[in-house]
């Protein structure tokens, strides 16, 4: 039997009306010889009554640091609610459907509560369900560890569930249905003329996703890539074919068209970053000093990024949520950092940009034309990024998008 996995994001499931559209899509895909496996997120977005954040807040109002085990149990509720509702709605319409929790769907993870990794998938219940001609509706974002404890997979975890099931079931394609037409050259909420990318490679989408384009989770791409299962990112609300993520496109007759990376794929951003600056110009034992800083932060469980050590200064960033703790840790060892709160990272991403001269010059030009100070910058062979103040983030993204003419 041919199998197609279809994952629906929170905004696609938010109301009865919207779920009608989702039911239509599933009904149109399911055929006698095509089984559809549905994966759902929790309904709505932050602030909505059955959204994951609402559940987290419910517990945190009572206890600001609940146990990770309990937190995972309540976080897993959102997908159970949306999945049961969707399966019931499908069945009521005459499309037989059956709901499965992550555990029932055989999603087995490590025990890292809140950000668990899938170890393996045992899809026997899903396969049996498909054999009966019934549509399995699976709760995304959740699994079970080998001790039987419920775990969750972190932000974007439903994408990961869909990819893991797609691989386990050898699906023909994994459809990621969301609220935009597909993967675009920038977040269309910020850049009005962002262009839809019709076809991208796994490599390109991985880079974009890692740099912050939240339209698909990078882990999901990495999983789908293992068996080269094509991913299609598309809108629940239109019939557009969306973005195909694959390495080859089968052409006509016996030709196979290869897909190559773009020079520049897109512009991304991430916010909620604090930059730390420590003056070491007068420090004698620099090596010992550096070690003390990074060891203390590591011991406190604070992850640091964008580390840049120069003879006069040490620069690094931490997530906003860790800023206070990081300052405390450093002050405890007698170090008084200069902290730039509320920064954002903007990045120009392009898997084929390596070795092309002038990319950095254009980045600097775009930001300086808009009087945006660059607080720090860095690059790899697939991206160039700059740290800017949060208040400049949107302008920076638009300016970079314009400078590289990505809307054309
Ligand atoms: P879902 O709930 O369906 O998983 P997400 O909010 O996780 O949806 O992802 C979709 C959102 O990703 C879009 O609404 C869009 O604002 C954002 N986004 C960020 N970067 C991009 C990009 N390059 N292309 C498309 N969407 C993007
Ligand atoms: Mg998402």
């Amino acid at each position: 039997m041919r199998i197609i996995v279809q994952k629906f994001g929170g905004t696609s499931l938010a109301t009865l009306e919207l779920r009608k559209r989702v039911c239509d899509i599933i009904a149109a895909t399911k055929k006698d010889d095509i089984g559809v496996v549905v994966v759902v997120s929790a309904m709505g977005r932050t602030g909505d009554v059955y959204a994951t954040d609402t559940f987290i807040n419910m517990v945190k109002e009572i206890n600001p640091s609940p146990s990770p085990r309990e937190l995972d149990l309540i976080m897993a509720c959102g997908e159970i609610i949306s999945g049961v509702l969707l399966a019931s709605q499908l069945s009521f319409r005459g499309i037989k459907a059956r709901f499965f929790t992550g555990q029932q769907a055989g999603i087995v993870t490590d025990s890292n509560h809140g950000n668990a990794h899938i170890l393996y998938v045992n899809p026997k219940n899903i396969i049996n369900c498909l054999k009966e001609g019934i549509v399995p509706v699976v709760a995304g974002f959740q699994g079970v560890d080998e001790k039987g404890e419920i775990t969750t997979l972190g932000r974007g975890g439903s994408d990961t569930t869909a990819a893991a099931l797609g691989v386990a079931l050898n699906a023909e394609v994994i459809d990621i249905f969301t609220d935009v037409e597909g993967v675009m050259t920038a977040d269309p909420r910020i850049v009005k003329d962002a262009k839809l990318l019709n076809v991208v490679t796994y490599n390109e989408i991985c880079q974009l996703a890692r740099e912050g384009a939240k339209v698909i989770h990078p882990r999901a791409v990495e999983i789908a890539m293992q068996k080269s299962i094509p991913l299609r990112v598309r809108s629940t609300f239109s019939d557009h074919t969306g973005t195909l993520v694959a390495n080859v496109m089968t052409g006509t007759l016996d030709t196979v068209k290869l897909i190559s990376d773009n020079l520049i794929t897109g512009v991304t951003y991430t916010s909620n970053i604090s930059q730390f600056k420590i003056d070491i110009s007068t420090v004698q034992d620099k090596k010992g000093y550096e070690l003390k800083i990074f060891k203390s932060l590591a011991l406190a469980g604070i992850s640091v990024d964008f580390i840049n050590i120069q003879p006069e200064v040490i620069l690094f960033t931490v997530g906003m949520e860790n800023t206070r703790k990081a300052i405390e840790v450093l002050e405890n060892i007698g170090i008084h950092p200069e902290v730039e709160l509320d920064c954002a990272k903007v990045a120009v991403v392009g898997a084929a940009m390596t070795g092309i001269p002038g990319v950095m010059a254009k980045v600097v030009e775009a930001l300086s034309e808009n009087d945006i100070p660059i607080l720090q910058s860095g690059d790899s062979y697939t991206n160039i990024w700059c740290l800017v103040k949060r208040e400049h983030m949107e302008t920076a993204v638009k300016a970079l998008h314009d400078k590289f003419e990505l809307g054309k």
Side-chain angles (χ1 to χ4, degrees):
M1 180 194 273
R2 294 164 59 195
I3 294 174
I4 294 181
V5 175
Q6 299 196 310
K7 177 253 167 178
F8 295 90
T11 38
S12 307
L13 298 162
T15 63
L16 187 72
E17 251 342 276
L18 291 172
R19 289 195 301 275
K20 257 189 202 151
R21 168 91 193 147
V22 170
C23 292
D24 289 341
I25 293 171
I26 296 165
T29 314
K30 188 180 179 305
K31 305 264 158 46
D32 285 342
D33 62 336
I34 302 181
V36 182
V37 176
V38 177
V39 176
V40 294
S41 295
M43 290 189 285
R45 285 198 187 274
T46 308
D48 287 343
V49 54
Y50 299 117
T52 307
D53 291 291
T54 310
F55 296 127
I56 299 175
N57 292 339
M58 273 166 81
V59 184
K60 289 201 170 168
E61 268 168 27
I62 300 165
N63 176 351
S65 2
S67 87
R69 176 186 179 276
E70 265 71 33
L71 202 56
D72 263 356
L73 280 163
I74 200 157
M75 282 205 283
C77 292
E79 278 72 13
I80 296 181
I81 295 171
S82 64
V84 168
L85 294 187
L86 184 65
S88 307
Q89 205 168 329
L90 280 165
S91 296
F92 187 69
R93 271 184 55 161
I95 307 158
K96 280 193 199 149
R98 185 178 296 152
F99 173 73
F100 294 87
T101 63
Q103 178 174 23
Q104 291 169 332
I107 308 284
V108 181
T109 71
D110 62 20
S111 304
N112 187 14
H113 284 291
N115 193 23
H117 277 239
I118 298 177
L119 298 175
Y120 58 89
V121 181
N122 177 356
K124 70 171 193 304
N125 289 340
I126 302 298
I127 291 170
N128 288 338
C129 182
L130 288 168
K131 278 188 187 153
E132 288 178 58
I134 296 173
V135 175
V137 177
V138 179
F141 176 67
Q142 55 175 263
V144 64
D145 72 6
E146 287 173 312
K147 292 176 297 207
E149 296 289 349
I150 302 299
T151 54
T152 64
L153 311 178
R155 294 275 149 187
S158 297
D159 295 344
T160 313
T161 304
L165 282 171
V167 166
L169 297 164
N170 225 349
E172 195 166 294
V173 62
I174 301 160
D175 281 330
I176 305 289
F177 282 95
T178 183
D179 59 355
V180 285
E181 296 271 277
V183 182
M184 312 191 84
T185 48
D187 187 344
R189 282 181 216 221
I190 292 186
V191 180
K192 295 293 162 238
D193 66 342
K195 213 175 75 183
L196 180 73
L197 297 162
N198 291 308
V199 187
V200 290
T201 63
Y202 292 106
N203 188 21
E204 287 178 292
I205 187 85
C206 246
Q207 304 299 337
L208 274 184
R210 284 203 198 103
E211 289 300 326
K214 73 165 188 172
V215 63
I216 186 164
H217 197 277
R219 220 180 273 163
V221 183
E222 284 157 9
I223 293 173
M225 196 161 64
Q226 292 179 15
K227 251 196 189 172
S228 293
I229 313 268
L231 287 159
R232 218 160 29 184
V233 181
R234 53 202 303 199
S235 167
T236 307
F237 313 110
S238 86
D239 293 323
H240 199 286
T241 49
T243 302
L244 175 71
V245 187
N247 284 332
V248 291
M249 244 167 76
T250 35
T252 48
L253 299 172
D254 40 19
T255 57
V256 172
K257 194 174 155 213
L258 296 181
I259 302 165
S260 53
D261 294 336
N262 289 294
L263 172 60
I264 307 288
T265 319
V267 177
T268 59
Y269 62 87
T270 41
S271 53
N272 291 326
I273 299 170
S274 300
Q275 186 197 37
F276 281 59
K277 234 185 254 182
I278 301 169
D279 180 358
I280 53 166
S281 54
T282 56
V283 174
Q284 295 299 321
D285 171 20
K286 290 202 163 74
K287 272 202 191 120
Y289 200 77
E290 285 153 10
L291 196 63
K292 193 165 72 170
I293 292 172
F294 292 110
K295 263 201 168 159
S296 323
L297 290 168
L299 272 176
I302 299 171
S303 107
V304 290
D305 284 307
F306 315 155
I307 303 158
N308 189 337
I309 303 178
Q310 296 166 23
E312 308 272 297
V313 66
I314 295 177
L315 294 170
F316 60 86
T317 62
V318 305
M320 286 272 269
E321 71 285 359
N322 280 327
T323 310
R324 253 205 9 232
K325 199 166 154 199
I327 296 175
E328 263 170 39
V329 168
L330 292 172
E331 297 208 319
N332 280 342
I333 52 169
I335 294 172
H336 306 285
E338 194 184 310
V339 182
E340 190 80 60
L341 295 170
D342 218 358
C343 300
K345 179 195 190 194
V346 292
V348 177
V349 180
M353 74 159 70
T354 174
I356 307 285
V359 181
M360 186 61 183
K362 275 191 172 178
V363 169
V364 172
E365 194 176 36
L367 298 186
S368 72
E369 279 166 1
N370 287 276
D371 297 319
I372 299 174
I374 299 173
L375 307 175
Q376 201 176 332
S377 77
D379 67 281
S380 77
Y381 63 98
T382 54
N383 74 63
I384 291 182
W385 59 264
C386 294
L387 195 70
V388 299
K389 288 292 291 175
R390 170 65 183 84
E391 70 212 57
H392 295 138
M393 184 180 84
E394 275 90 357
T395 316
V397 170
K398 282 187 212 146
L400 292 168
H401 194 265
D402 274 356
K403 186 56 81 182
F404 287 94
E405 302 184 348
L406 296 176
K408 295 210 170 122

